[in-house]
Amino acid sequence: MAVPSQPETRPVPSPYLPPYQLVIAGLKNATAGAAGGAACVLAGQPFDTIKVKMQTFPDVHRGVFQCLVRTIRVEGFRALYAGSPSSFLSNIAENSALFVFYGQSRELIRRVSGTRSCADLSVTQNACAGALSAVFSSLIVSPLELIKCRQQAQYELVLGKQSSTMASIVRNLVAKEGISGLYRGLTSTWVREIPGYFLFFGGYEMTRRLLSEDPSDPKPWIVVLAGGCGGACFWLGTYPADVVKSRQQVNAAGVKSVAFWPGFTKILRAEGIQGLYRGIGPTVIRSFPANGALFLAYELTMKALS
């Protein structure tokens, strides 16, 4: 009598990546994030400078065009790139950390949800991974953005009489306010970044999937457009928090920082709802070249490293 053949059994893949693969994935994400951060600054720095000036000195800068013309006439064209060294440092550090934590957060959500691979995560799951990664990346970006904002607004702050290098700003802050001075505006940064990166990665993933026949290998123009849409979602959803953060970081140097909610209500009472959206025009415009370049550089670097 023939013995019935046993059905072939295949080993079930482990839901956990080995530690060395997590390290390799982290290094790839850090490298690709750094490339994306550099591309973001090159494409969007002038728009960011105009945004900070309009946010922090609304009595001086009434409109985008007026701010642009006045800055070039009074300070020179190079003023549009004020704070570029700290912007490069900030964006490279922020995006390296952001994409490292984003990759780890996606892996965590994949394990918890029982999804087969990170590529199979839904738009909402990717958005949640973005929000989680922002909790940690904000600790790096907040002091770097403070330095960048001070450099961009140095003319209005009358810092022309003193050195406004990154090192001198750090020395002055620490001397007057201690190490905690470097984290002025951290709460506002969290209020902006956590929901912002939920919208950022959610908007990117949704746009990419809607436009791509194969979302795993989108065309470059789709990556650029999806990155711009993600950036626009970020700023349209969180811009008031960014206005409060910029004023906390730039104004009242040496004075105890006003907490987020009192700062928010102060602007609302004094300037109305438009005060919380001052400078949003150049910001949304900037999001398309800047974030488009960020995601394109990230995706191309990841592809090259893989």
Side-chain angles (χ1 to χ4, degrees):
M1 184 177 178
V3 178
S5 59
Q6 296 294 323
E8 181 182 356
T9 58
R10 296 182 180 179
V12 178
S14 170
Y16 304 104
L17 288 177
Y20 77 91
Q21 287 191 11
L22 290 174
V23 172
I24 292 173
L27 291 173
K28 287 181 179 179
N29 276 308
T31 303
C40 181
V41 175
L42 289 173
Q45 180 68 8
F47 296 101
D48 191 62
T49 298
I50 297 300
K51 179 203 75 169
V52 170
K53 286 178 177 289
M54 291 184 66
Q55 285 178 335
T56 51
F57 295 96
D59 294 333
V60 178
H61 304 293
R62 294 290 185 178
V64 175
F65 185 73
Q66 179 267 345
C67 181
L68 175 66
V69 171
R70 186 181 187 280
T71 299
I72 294 175
R73 187 179 70 246
V74 176
E75 304 174 58
F77 183 80
R78 290 179 60 184
L80 295 175
Y81 285 88
S84 288
S86 54
S87 287
F88 267 105
L89 179 59
S90 174
N91 273 273
I92 288 172
E94 174 188 6
N95 285 288
S96 291
L98 177 67
F99 281 100
V100 167
F101 290 123
Y102 178 60
Q104 300 300 318
S105 298
R106 293 180 78 207
E107 178 63 20
L108 176 63
I109 290 173
R110 182 194 71 80
R111 293 183 185 182
V112 172
S113 64
T115 308
R116 186 174 182 83
S117 71
C118 288
D120 296 325
L121 293 176
S122 67
V123 170
T124 303
Q125 287 172 322
N126 278 292
C128 289
L132 181 59
S133 64
V135 175
F136 304 101
S137 64
S138 296
L139 297 172
I140 296 173
V141 72
S142 185
L144 293 171
E145 280 210 346
L146 184 151
I147 297 167
K148 180 204 70 174
C149 288
R150 293 276 176 104
Q151 287 186 305
Q152 288 174 324
Q154 62 184 297
Y155 184 84
E156 289 82 356
L157 286 169
V158 197
L159 294 177
K161 298 179 182 179
Q162 43 185 294
S163 175
S164 57
T165 63
M166 292 176 65
S168 66
I169 291 174
V170 171
R171 282 197 302 269
N172 290 334
L173 274 170
V174 173
K176 293 178 180 178
E177 305 177 44
I179 296 296
S180 62
L182 295 173
Y183 284 90
R184 176 189 286 258
L186 176 61
T187 300
S188 300
T189 303
W190 270 325
V191 172
R192 181 192 72 177
E193 301 275 283
I194 294 172
Y197 278 114
F198 179 92
L199 297 171
F200 182 70
F201 285 105
Y204 172 73
E205 287 292 335
M206 180 176 290
T207 306
R208 192 180 71 164
R209 296 181 189 198
L210 286 174
L211 298 178
S212 300
E213 294 180 3
D214 180 10
S216 64
D217 188 25
K219 296 178 180 178
W221 71 267
I222 292 177
V223 173
V224 172
L225 182 58
C229 289
C233 289
F234 179 104
W235 289 113
L236 289 171
T238 65
Y239 196 78
D242 189 67
V243 174
V244 177
K245 177 195 73 69
S246 293
R247 295 202 187 183
Q248 284 178 321
Q249 292 180 329
V250 171
N251 295 339
V255 179
K256 185 178 180 180
S257 179
V258 178
F260 173 78
W261 186 246
F264 179 91
T265 54
K266 180 181 178 181
I267 295 171
L268 190 62
R269 285 197 305 268
E271 303 172 43
I273 192 69
Q274 66 270 24
L276 294 169
Y277 286 91
R278 191 174 299 279
I280 194 170
T283 304
V284 174
I285 294 171
R286 168 188 176 270
S287 67
F288 282 89
N291 295 118
L294 184 155
F295 272 107
L296 182 61
Y298 174 82
E299 297 285 3
L300 291 176
T301 304
M302 286 295 287
K303 186 178 290 187
L305 293 174
S306 299

